[in-house]
Amino acid sequence: MQKNNQTFMRRALELAKRGAGRVSPNPMVGCVIVKDGRIIGEGWHEKCGGLHAERNALKNCTADPAGADLYVTLEPCCHWGRTPPCTDAILERKIGRVFVGCLDPNQLVAGKGAQILRDAGIPVETGVCEDECRRLNEVFLHYITHKTPFVVLKYAMTLDGKTAARTGDSRWVTGEAARAHVHETRNRLAGIMVGVGTVLADDPLLTCRMEGGRNPVRIICDSHARTPLDSGIVRTAREVPTILAVTEQNERTAALAAAGIGILLCEADAQGHVRLTDLMAQLGARQIDSILLEGGSSLAFSALEAGIVRKVQAYIAPKLIGGADAKTPVGGAGFAKMADARTLQNLTVTPLGEDFLLEGDLPCSPASSKK
């Protein structure tokens, strides 16, 4: 029976993934309804503001769901938001049992949804494929708990740790499969962030170039508004939402705002740069729940030092290019002692063509809560 429960929950997980890039800042949720050992209804949360997974699955049922088992990756909601409570729908359709992947840490739910169903006489089992369900919604679980974006530090480098040749040439470090994976991540996360140095050096567009993809909100850390008015970022600002994080307002910020750039005034740190913890708090208040941090090396170190990075994605190409002055992914001042190094947890390695993606988690640190 336990194996069957896991099979149906994993199907619900597959369905949930279809909401990637479309439900932010809501979680990705999938639901499967099973009667007499046969799936009679499936659904997932398709877009923010749309029906939740449970209501979609009930709507799609091919038989009466009374007495059926319902498998859902996240605890059913029990409050009114953009849509009615899913617990009401489960009770109305007389579902027999409910299996939940993981509980919802949202204070409006947080075990209350499961308890409402139990109080109504419906058996509820939680923790089915819990680790997989939590991993699926790591962004949501962080955002709903901390109210700040889940930050993924991403870079591509050669096997000897270089992101470009000594001449600055970086096309391409990795192959097509790795680059396609990056665009999948851009589609999935709500924002993409770089420092002004990257804008000045590369003039990137920072868009998602996959079929049917969604462009993330572009966030430029530019303390003194040095972003050129003729840059690709500015020229496309009316097409792709773009935010410039600055520490002061002046004629430059006024001109950039007139071109369609959103100006976000932030606190300055001791070096006069944007204080990243303040920026994260302001972006979280704007419901930007996740950010892909793509460079440059100084911003990468500042983010690690500030404790805002939750995950690292290192794309590694089997190439050796050398160069004492060639760029590396993380620059800045660096930590003074090896004991201060940030250590990744839960490492995974994924082959992508000839390249490899190494991913790992970074736990929240006290520094990330300081202003």
Side-chain angles (χ1 to χ4, degrees):
M1 182 63 182
Q2 183 178 4
K3 184 176 180 181
N4 286 340
N5 288 343
Q6 291 177 349
T7 298
F8 292 130
M9 188 62 75
R10 288 195 174 107
R11 174 56 185 166
L13 280 162
E14 291 176 9
L15 295 168
K17 293 174 184 176
R18 298 182 184 181
R22 294 174 173 82
V23 299
S24 172
N26 288 351
M28 292 178 282
V29 183
C31 180
V32 170
I33 299 173
V34 179
K35 193 168 188 177
D36 299 325
R38 181 175 62 88
I39 293 176
I40 62 169
E42 294 185 335
W44 65 94
H45 185 33
E46 298 175 6
K47 63 179 181 178
C48 186
L51 291 177
H52 287 187
E54 298 94 322
R55 288 184 175 271
N56 273 328
L58 288 166
K59 176 173 64 73
N60 294 334
C61 276
T62 58
D64 184 358
D69 294 336
L70 182 146
Y71 293 82
V72 64
T73 55
L74 187 70
E75 179 183 8
C77 67
C78 55
H79 66 285
W80 275 85
R82 295 182 176 91
T83 57
C86 289
T87 49
D88 288 0
I90 291 170
L91 294 172
E92 289 166 5
R93 301 300 294 273
K94 296 180 170 51
I95 291 294
R97 294 184 300 179
V98 173
F99 297 86
V100 175
C102 66
L103 296 178
D104 188 341
N106 186 338
Q107 292 182 353
L108 296 173
V109 187
K112 300 182 185 74
Q115 193 57 49
I116 286 172
L117 298 176
R118 289 187 178 114
D119 290 345
I122 297 177
V124 178
E125 181 178 332
T126 61
V128 181
C129 300
E130 182 172 7
D131 288 346
E132 295 165 67
C133 291
R134 293 186 66 83
R135 175 65 67 177
L136 173 72
N137 274 313
E138 59 187 358
V139 166
F140 170 76
L141 296 175
H142 170 88
Y143 178 70
I144 203 68
T145 303
H146 299 279
K147 310 302 182 188
T148 57
F150 183 95
V151 177
V152 179
L153 171 60
K154 165 261 168 184
Y155 52 83
M157 69 180 188
T158 59
L159 198 56
D160 53 346
K162 308 298 183 181
T163 59
R166 59 180 173 78
T167 59
D169 178 56
S170 61
R171 295 200 175 205
W172 294 102
V173 174
T174 54
E176 291 185 6
R179 298 200 299 274
H181 191 273
V182 170
H183 286 284
E184 290 174 9
T185 305
R186 287 185 180 185
N187 171 67
R188 182 167 51 87
L189 301 186
I192 184 168
M193 186 167 77
V194 299
V196 67
T198 297
V199 174
L200 294 172
D202 301 335
D203 193 23
L205 286 178
L206 305 177
T207 52
C208 175
R209 294 185 288 278
M210 61 174 280
E211 186 176 352
R214 173 195 56 88
N215 289 324
V217 176
R218 301 180 301 194
I219 303 150
I220 314 300
C221 288
D222 186 6
S223 304
H224 307 297
R226 293 190 293 146
T227 296
L229 290 170
D230 62 351
S231 64
I233 289 286
V234 177
R235 286 187 285 103
T236 57
R238 298 193 187 282
E239 303 163 24
V240 183
T242 307
I243 295 171
L244 206 72
V246 301
T247 58
E248 58 184 349
Q249 303 232 41
N250 51 37
E251 292 181 359
R252 289 280 304 167
T253 56
L256 289 162
I261 297 280
I263 304 298
L264 191 59
L265 185 62
C266 299
E267 297 174 4
D269 62 17
Q271 289 74 43
H273 300 145
V274 168
R275 188 182 298 279
L276 293 178
T277 50
D278 179 51
L279 174 58
M280 292 302 108
Q282 293 199 53
L283 293 175
R286 294 183 175 214
Q287 294 195 324
I288 296 177
D289 65 356
S290 51
I291 291 172
L292 183 63
L293 199 168
E294 287 213 3
S297 65
S298 294
L299 181 59
F301 176 73
S302 296
L304 289 169
E305 189 177 35
I308 67 169
V309 178
R310 299 280 70 80
K311 181 185 285 292
V312 174
Q313 290 184 333
Y315 295 85
I316 303 172
K319 300 174 181 177
L320 301 171
I321 196 167
D325 297 326
K327 293 180 180 180
T328 58
V330 181
F335 297 113
K337 297 180 180 179
M338 191 61 67
D340 297 330
R342 302 297 186 251
T343 303
L344 302 182
Q345 301 175 353
N346 306 318
L347 290 177
T348 62
V349 179
T350 306
L352 293 170
E354 294 183 349
D355 308 311
F356 293 89
L357 169 61
L358 189 151
E359 291 182 276
D361 301 329
L362 284 173
C364 286
S365 68
S368 64
S369 62
K370 294 178 181 177
K371 290 289 187 75

